[in-house]
Amino acid sequence: MDMLDRRLFLLTGAAGGACLAMPGWAGAQPAGRSPELARLFDQLFQEQLRLRPESATQLGLDKGANANLRARLTDESPAGRAAAKAQTQDQLKRLLAIDPKTLSPAERVDWETVVYTRRASAEVQKFDFGGFGYGPSPYVVSQLTGAYQSVPDFLDTKHPIETRADAEAFLARLSAFGDQLDAETAQMRHDAGVGVIPPDFILDTALDQMAKTRVPAAEATPVRSIVRRAAAKGLGDSYGRDAARLWDGKILPALDRQIALARSLRAKAVHDAGIWRFREGAAFYETALHNTTTTRLSPAEVHKFGLDQARAISARLDTLLKAQGMSRGTIGERMAALYKDPRQLYPNTDEGKAQAIAYCNARLAAIRLRLPTMFSRLPTYQFEVRRVPVQTEAGAASAFSQAPAIDGSRPGLVYFNLHDSAEWPKFCLATTVYHEGLPGHQFEGGLALSNKGLPMIRKAGGFSGYGEGWALYAEQLADEMGMYDDDPLGRLGYLKFQLFRANRCVVDTGIHHLRWSREQAIRYFVEQEGEAPGFATREVERYCSTPGQACSYKLGHSVFVRLRDKAKAALGPHFEIKAFHDAVLGIGRVPLDILEAEGDRWIAAQRT
């Protein structure tokens, strides 16, 4: 998934850092942009950053004038939520005061894109319940949402400790973690009062993860992190002792309060999976669907799209399976048999999981060598694959991506959830490396962050329809680059995951629009594509917590493919794949309707 930490990145559709705070950036703007518009974008960006300080650290922009943000976390209290709403409305008003007719073509794309993010945020903020995961979520705390599951890893892997000031800032953030827990507990109580309670199975997983987080100070991820890193920098052991006191005195009591409320809500929870059961559930689902896919397709239209795509992909899979001598049974039955092939399974041990991660890093290195055949620009950042932390793997997504620091001080990271290595047979790993890593999320995100033609407000922002659509298109490119020429089972894995993304459109709308049960949704994945039951269960429960976003992959992919086919038909022998990729990547991250419009303009320009 997503280029920035998903909780920060999708909060408003555009996460932020601060151009004005970076040496050499003050007063600078990309070519073709007016100084006045650049200043406005910088102001909006700075305001976003100060409201959500974690994004500054995520991007490596918590320096200079923004150094004080390194000691802060987002205010999740009612006052903080109100401030976010007010900021959205104020920024939208200032943007709409600009007459787009006065803008250059490049400026107009910038303006339309930023306006889109603020309007999308305003639509989500009309609802007074919920939080954010991969997109708008009806639940402030679930297996995928809430500070309890995001902050410990953020402090360990994103917050830098080089100096005493960094260590002091770490302690300040650790204290603020307790405040976030209490604020979200209060929001949970409020949401329950208006009838918004997660289903029983979501609360079960969340409670299990909370229990794994609620450990003695000596075992807590943040405490161990500062002890280890402060020692490595010769800062002494006082910071570790202070962190332990904070953990025992503030974090554990706040976590206990959240656990107690979650247990009381569990006693009232129902098993119904979809948000159709809430008073504003249907409206929330349509808003979430539009927010994440950046289309205006209805749930019924998305459902039909998924079914149509799945039929076409299944026909291709059938042909390839028969070529492997597998002709009996349904697609799902034959793929399930491949999942059980011991030659494709890594041992379900720490050593076996380390072997799987090593294989993934080798695939990342191998495809990097072939990228120049398709692209004229390559990101300069480093990238690597890691395992999802054990304490959150029960509820974490199966795989996801986190961006590098903009200054390259931290690599881009691809995470695999190896809770059960049988859910990740070898033939399924490579295509996911290409999706999350190169030429997928890390590639697209690395180019965006280093694109000197974009204002920072657009470099750091993003849209699931564009980002996930590109990453799924990147899986297709890997096949076209020959990555499976000597790996026919790997090509089956690639098509299997194309089918998976089509089925996501069916399942997500099935749950929230057609009122499918959790078990019906899991069964659909298992029967249609031979999905591992544990993998299917986590995926379905993800869609229950963050509705709509799962549909963005195949919808976005279809736009990139449609544009390329249109360009090939229009340009004939003059079509050049590198130029096409320069065009769709050079425009930056945009909603899908803007991507199509700008793609059509590019094609027309090539014909003149």
Side-chain angles (χ1 to χ4, degrees):
M1 153 69 190
D2 310 307
M3 291 313 304
L4 295 179
D5 178 87
R6 58 188 180 272
R7 187 166 173 267
L8 303 171
F9 177 60
L10 291 167
L11 195 55
T12 63
C19 303
L20 298 177
M22 292 297 289
W25 290 5
Q29 70 274 346
R33 270 74 169 185
S34 71
E36 293 78 14
L37 189 61
R39 279 195 292 271
L40 175 60
F41 285 159
D42 286 349
Q43 289 166 5
L44 304 184
F45 198 36
Q46 177 82 354
E47 292 163 6
Q48 286 279 99
L49 178 70
R50 302 204 72 78
L51 205 62
R52 299 175 183 87
E54 298 95 328
S55 59
T57 299
Q58 180 78 25
L59 287 165
L61 298 178
D62 52 355
K63 304 169 185 176
N66 289 326
N68 65 323
L69 297 184
R70 192 172 289 189
R72 292 174 45 198
L73 296 178
T74 300
D75 181 0
E76 303 285 6
S77 71
R81 291 170 72 100
K85 291 182 181 181
Q87 183 186 88
T88 298
Q89 293 299 325
D90 176 66
Q91 293 192 350
L92 187 57
K93 180 180 178 180
R94 288 147 67 192
L95 285 162
L96 294 178
I98 296 171
D99 181 358
K101 295 186 180 67
T102 66
L103 303 176
S104 70
E107 288 176 326
R108 184 157 185 162
V109 172
D110 293 340
W111 180 84
E112 289 176 346
T113 301
V114 178
V115 166
Y116 190 101
T117 67
R118 300 314 184 257
R119 283 177 168 158
S121 294
E123 288 299 311
V124 173
Q125 289 167 346
K126 289 178 181 177
F127 301 93
D128 67 346
F129 57 85
F132 285 82
Y134 288 91
S137 172
Y139 312 122
V140 67
V141 173
S142 69
Q143 88 284 19
L144 288 175
T145 58
Y148 85 91
Q149 57 84 41
S150 63
V151 171
D153 182 64
F154 169 81
L155 289 174
D156 181 35
T157 63
K158 308 300 183 299
H159 183 104
I161 297 182
E162 299 290 335
T163 67
R164 293 190 181 279
D166 294 338
E168 293 290 348
F170 185 104
L171 294 176
R173 275 181 160 165
L174 185 59
S175 178
F177 176 34
D179 298 330
Q180 281 192 333
L181 288 169
D182 280 334
E184 291 180 346
T185 299
Q187 186 66 37
M188 289 170 67
R189 188 173 289 108
H190 164 274
D191 294 355
V194 296
V196 178
I197 299 174
D200 52 12
F201 54 88
I202 294 297
L203 285 170
D204 286 341
T205 304
L207 282 164
D208 177 66
Q209 292 183 166
M210 288 177 188
K212 291 176 180 176
T213 302
R214 196 210 177 286
V215 294
E219 301 173 25
T221 295
V223 177
R224 294 173 65 183
S225 179
I226 196 170
V227 167
R228 180 184 73 252
R229 294 194 286 156
K233 296 298 178 180
L235 302 179
D237 56 8
S238 64
Y239 295 110
R241 291 195 300 270
D242 290 344
R245 281 193 290 268
L246 276 172
W247 188 265
D248 289 337
K250 187 170 185 179
I251 307 307
L252 288 184
L255 190 56
D256 285 342
R257 289 187 286 271
Q258 190 163 101
I259 290 171
L261 178 59
R263 284 175 176 162
S264 70
L265 296 179
R266 174 62 179 83
K268 307 172 186 177
V270 299
H271 195 65
D272 292 324
I275 60 173
W276 52 263
R277 59 195 169 91
F278 302 140
R279 180 170 57 85
E280 297 181 272
F284 188 95
Y285 183 54
E286 292 215 10
T287 296
L289 196 63
H290 299 157
N291 180 280
T292 55
T293 68
T294 65
T295 73
R296 284 288 167 181
L297 295 176
S298 69
E301 289 171 325
V302 174
H303 191 82
K304 182 180 183 303
F305 167 83
L307 290 171
D308 291 343
Q309 290 285 311
R311 276 192 290 271
I313 298 166
S314 293
R316 291 185 64 190
L317 270 171
D318 181 53
T319 299
L320 292 180
L321 284 165
K322 286 176 178 175
Q324 293 297 312
M326 303 179 71
S327 58
R328 294 184 179 180
T330 66
I331 296 292
E333 288 168 344
R334 283 178 277 173
M335 292 304 297
L338 275 179
Y339 264 75
K340 296 174 183 176
D341 184 344
R343 295 169 296 180
Q344 293 294 315
L345 300 179
Y346 288 98
N348 196 34
T349 62
D350 286 341
E351 181 181 358
K353 294 170 185 181
Q355 292 171 1
I357 295 299
Y359 171 79
C360 290
N361 277 306
R363 291 292 83 201
L364 197 63
I367 197 168
R368 185 189 282 272
L369 300 176
R370 302 195 187 193
L371 295 178
T373 64
M374 290 278 189
F375 302 99
S376 60
R377 285 183 65 222
L378 303 179
T380 58
Y381 299 103
Q382 296 300 309
F383 309 107
E384 64 182 79
V385 182
R386 295 182 182 177
R387 179 182 172 185
V388 168
V390 174
Q391 64 268 25
T392 58
E393 64 184 6
S398 301
F400 55 92
S401 183
Q402 291 182 351
I406 198 166
D407 63 359
S409 59
R410 187 186 63 254
L413 300 176
V414 172
Y415 284 96
F416 276 80
N417 189 336
L418 297 178
H419 177 72
D420 180 357
S421 59
E423 296 173 4
W424 279 112
K426 185 176 182 179
F427 74 92
C428 287
L429 287 169
T431 195
T432 307
V433 170
Y434 308 144
H435 178 105
E436 301 291 351
L438 304 174
H441 283 312
Q442 296 292 352
F443 184 92
E444 179 270 319
L447 289 183
L449 290 175
S450 59
N451 188 340
K452 295 180 181 179
L454 295 177
M456 270 296 297
I457 196 168
R458 292 202 50 220
K459 289 185 183 186
F463 302 90
S464 190
Y466 180 95
E468 299 299 353
W470 171 265
L472 195 53
Y473 172 70
E475 294 187 52
Q476 177 179 328
L477 289 180
D479 184 32
E480 293 169 355
M481 279 189 259
M483 295 304 292
Y484 302 115
D485 287 355
D486 59 354
D487 181 17
L489 291 186
R491 182 172 282 116
L492 281 170
Y494 149 62
L495 285 175
K496 181 265 177 196
F497 275 105
Q498 291 275 325
L499 177 60
F500 171 55
R501 273 43 172 263
N503 285 336
R504 275 179 162 177
C505 294
V506 178
V507 169
D508 195 276
T509 53
I511 292 167
H512 298 293
H513 179 62
L514 299 178
R515 304 190 177 191
W516 286 15
S517 68
R518 167 183 177 269
E519 288 70 28
Q520 181 180 359
I522 294 169
R523 188 165 59 249
Y524 190 87
F525 275 132
V526 172
E527 292 177 352
Q528 293 296 314
E529 61 197 59
E531 197 60 80
F535 185 104
T537 298
R538 276 198 311 279
E539 286 293 317
V540 166
E541 292 181 354
R542 165 183 165 181
Y543 315 154
C544 294
S545 291
T546 53
Q549 190 269 343
C551 303
S552 62
Y553 298 69
K554 204 68 183 70
L555 288 168
H557 172 257
S558 70
V559 172
F560 282 103
V561 171
R562 185 162 63 245
L563 273 177
R564 191 175 81 167
D565 289 345
K566 189 184 296 185
K568 283 183 174 180
L571 303 180
H574 300 292
F575 174 81
E576 210 282 315
I577 191 66
K578 291 184 181 181
F580 173 74
H581 289 155
D582 283 344
V584 296
L585 290 171
I587 189 180
R589 298 151 168 176
V590 291
L592 292 178
D593 56 351
I594 294 179
L595 174 63
E596 290 213 72
E598 291 303 308
D600 287 342
R601 290 191 186 100
W602 178 80
I603 293 170
Q606 304 309 299
R607 299 180 68 178
T608 59

